[in-house]
Amino acid sequence: MCDRFLPSKCSSSTADEKRDKSTLNGWTVIVNTASSMASGAIRRFQDRVLGPSRTGIPSTTSEIWLLGVCYKISEGEESSEDADPGCVLDAFRQDFSSLILMTYRRGFEPIGDTTYTSDVGWGCMLRSGQMLFAQALLFQRLGRSWRKKKSEPPEEEYLEILELFGDSEASAFSIHNLILAGESYGLAAGSWVGPYAVCRSWESLARKRKESDVDHRSCSMAVHIVSGSEDGERGGAPILCIEDVTKTCLEYSEGETEWTSILLLVPLVLGLDKVNPRYIPSLIATFSFPQSLGILGGKPGASTYIVGVQEDKGFYLDPHDVQQVLTVNKETKDVDTSCYHCNTLRYVPLESLDPSLAVGFYCRDKDDFDDFCIRATKLAGDSSGAPLFTVTQSHRAGERGIAETSTVASSTEISGEEHEDDWQLL
């Protein structure tokens, strides 16, 4: 989604390989890649197609929301971190640089029966999805307040998370296994797909990993897709059905418990050529949810992971850097993992995003999910008839697109039909 995809400043980054891509048919583009391009040509291409570079912090006075955490940097305002704006900015930068970055890799074992040993030019949406999923695991296992400390050895849980996303079939959430799980949704090595297909592929992969991993060491949470209909392709605001989420949790736990940690993915199409401005305030508001996992989004053929907002700008992690394969596991505590993090702040105007995107949320337990439902219902009610998605207790209550709060909230009803003409096929 970035306006320009320049190499990250992470220490082990390289930028000598990029892609020559077609942008036919928006998010369903099939990308033809070139194995190498001159760096200057890549940058000229990016500047021409994706726009000028935007780095740093857009405003020195407006608050920043980063995956559910607020950083108030204007002088004279109270801050949960520190009254000094400089300290608040330092805390924000440390938080941002602790998020897990996934980028193009080269030199891995071939994907399936293909000859692909790199995902340069076509794997950015898959890498963006890996970042969101890795962040959910990081929040689950180490907590939202976890920060990467340069002066201390990495935690074993942290290394185990990175190992899950290694570039081989042996790693549970590698692009090798994601492509295999998503074949029925159009995933294939060398092909570029959109956020809906990637969300469904993650749902499929998580289910397969749970079935093959008896102690749930790799996949320790359920995955649920919030869709407007069974096939997700009939338009209309997606409906979060509480009964469906409960069923997903029960199936995941095989009936042992009514509730488990759960990752909610909401594929959206919010306009035609770009995001309809009426949805921007709601997109911004989702980053204030404690359950926020950000947005998979970008421009046709160029996906990124949006992790924060300031005013109408979105901060993102960029997967378009090219790095050599790195082996990480809990036995390699001396390995340099700086390539899995980024210190460079990049942002993009939210209004420039392609309307096809996906929003993610992580709910730790039932109370967290109830809190999420209250917030989501209020957000839909404040959307002036253009909700991102609605909430209902059951399909019986939601047959007409009506959003009702669960038993933990009031009985407010919000119509989700008035502006269905703005919704397009996923």
Side-chain angles (χ1 to χ4, degrees):
M1 120 205 138
C2 59
D3 288 299
R4 185 178 72 170
F5 295 120
L6 287 181
S8 158
K9 294 295 191 298
C10 293
S11 62
S12 60
S13 302
T14 61
D16 56 342
E17 293 186 28
K18 289 282 179 178
R19 72 266 183 259
D20 177 21
K21 63 176 69 175
S22 165
T23 55
L24 298 175
N25 299 322
W27 288 99
T28 58
V29 63
I30 300 300
V31 180
N32 296 318
T33 64
S35 59
S36 62
M37 292 177 63
S39 177
I42 294 173
R43 295 190 181 189
R44 287 193 296 273
F45 171 80
Q46 293 167 334
D47 286 342
R48 183 175 68 253
V49 176
L50 301 172
S53 174
R54 293 181 173 90
T55 60
I57 296 177
S59 170
T60 58
T61 59
S62 299
E63 66 183 19
I64 297 172
W65 282 97
L66 184 67
L67 299 185
V69 176
C70 182
Y71 294 92
K72 295 184 177 181
I73 61 176
S74 60
E75 298 198 21
E77 292 189 33
E78 287 296 321
S79 169
S80 59
E81 296 290 340
D82 198 300
D84 180 1
C87 293
V88 176
L89 282 176
D90 288 344
F92 164 66
R93 291 178 183 277
Q94 184 183 21
D95 192 355
F96 179 87
S97 64
S98 296
L99 302 178
I100 294 179
L101 171 72
M102 302 287 178
T103 70
Y104 289 149
R105 294 282 179 174
R106 59 182 177 185
F108 51 68
E109 62 185 46
I111 297 174
D113 297 329
T114 75
T115 59
Y116 283 95
T117 58
S118 172
D119 61 315
V120 175
W122 54 269
C124 57
M125 177 56 76
L126 306 185
R127 297 299 185 181
S128 297
Q130 283 184 320
M131 284 190 266
L132 188 149
F133 204 92
Q135 210 57 54
L137 291 175
L138 193 68
F139 289 174
Q140 181 189 44
R141 301 184 185 187
L142 293 172
R144 179 63 183 89
S145 61
W146 178 85
R147 300 292 182 267
K148 188 176 187 298
K149 300 177 179 63
K150 297 180 180 179
S151 59
E152 299 179 10
E155 294 90 338
E156 186 173 295
E157 294 90 341
Y158 163 76
L159 294 176
E160 288 178 344
I161 291 172
L162 294 185
E163 182 181 6
L164 293 173
F165 296 88
D167 294 295
S168 71
E169 291 184 4
S171 295
F173 303 127
S174 65
I175 62 170
H176 299 65
N177 290 322
L178 183 59
I179 289 172
L180 181 62
E183 284 181 339
S184 61
Y185 298 105
L187 267 65
S191 297
W192 202 93
V193 294
Y196 177 78
V198 167
C199 288
R200 285 297 183 187
S201 300
W202 275 110
E203 179 186 43
S204 176
L205 179 57
R207 186 183 302 114
K208 290 181 178 180
R209 294 307 306 180
K210 189 262 179 183
E211 292 172 353
S212 62
D213 188 359
V214 292
D215 57 2
H216 299 181
R217 289 183 58 116
S218 59
C219 188
S220 49
M221 68 183 72
V223 178
H224 182 82
I225 308 299
V226 180
S227 181
S229 64
E230 185 176 349
D231 59 10
E233 297 182 350
R234 299 177 190 171
I239 301 171
L240 177 82
C241 178
I242 295 172
E243 286 185 355
D244 286 348
V245 177
T246 303
K247 180 181 178 182
T248 297
C249 290
L250 280 170
E251 290 177 348
Y252 176 83
S253 69
E254 297 179 343
E256 293 182 4
T257 179
E258 185 178 354
W259 205 263
T260 65
S261 298
I262 190 165
L263 169 62
L264 303 173
L265 297 173
V266 191
L268 298 167
V269 182
L270 303 178
L272 296 174
D273 298 327
K274 61 180 181 179
V275 173
N276 189 315
R278 71 181 357 148
Y279 297 111
I280 298 295
S282 292
L283 283 176
I284 293 172
T286 63
F287 286 92
S288 68
F289 288 24
Q291 303 83 10
S292 172
L293 278 177
I295 297 172
L296 303 181
K299 295 186 177 181
S303 170
T304 62
Y305 177 36
I306 307 169
V307 295
V309 290
Q310 185 183 42
E311 297 177 343
D312 60 348
K313 309 295 192 303
F315 294 100
Y316 64 89
L317 292 173
D318 184 3
H320 294 82
D321 185 20
V322 186
Q323 304 187 85
Q324 192 67 26
V325 166
L326 179 67
T327 298
V328 178
N329 54 55
K330 60 184 179 182
E331 281 77 37
T332 58
K333 292 188 176 182
D334 58 344
V335 68
D336 181 7
T337 61
S338 60
C339 63
Y340 284 101
H341 300 275
C342 184
N343 296 319
T344 301
L345 295 170
R346 295 184 175 86
Y347 66 90
V348 63
L350 295 176
E351 64 180 9
S352 70
L353 295 181
D354 189 278
S356 292
L357 49 86
V359 185
F361 303 95
Y362 167 68
C363 299
R364 182 176 298 276
D365 50 32
K366 183 61 164 61
D367 289 341
D368 204 23
F369 177 74
D370 288 344
D371 177 78
F372 168 76
C373 288
I374 294 173
R375 293 172 185 273
T377 301
K378 184 179 186 304
L379 180 62
D382 294 340
S383 67
S384 300
L388 298 177
F389 59 95
T390 60
V391 180
T392 185
Q393 180 66 39
S394 69
H395 287 296
R396 293 182 299 278
E399 288 176 354
R400 290 176 170 269
I402 300 298
E404 296 181 338
T405 63
S406 67
T407 56
V408 297
S410 67
S411 59
T412 304
E413 294 188 354
I414 304 155
S415 172
E417 289 190 316
E418 294 182 45
H419 299 283
E420 285 196 358
D421 55 325
D422 288 326
W423 292 78
Q424 307 300 317
L425 297 183
L426 291 174

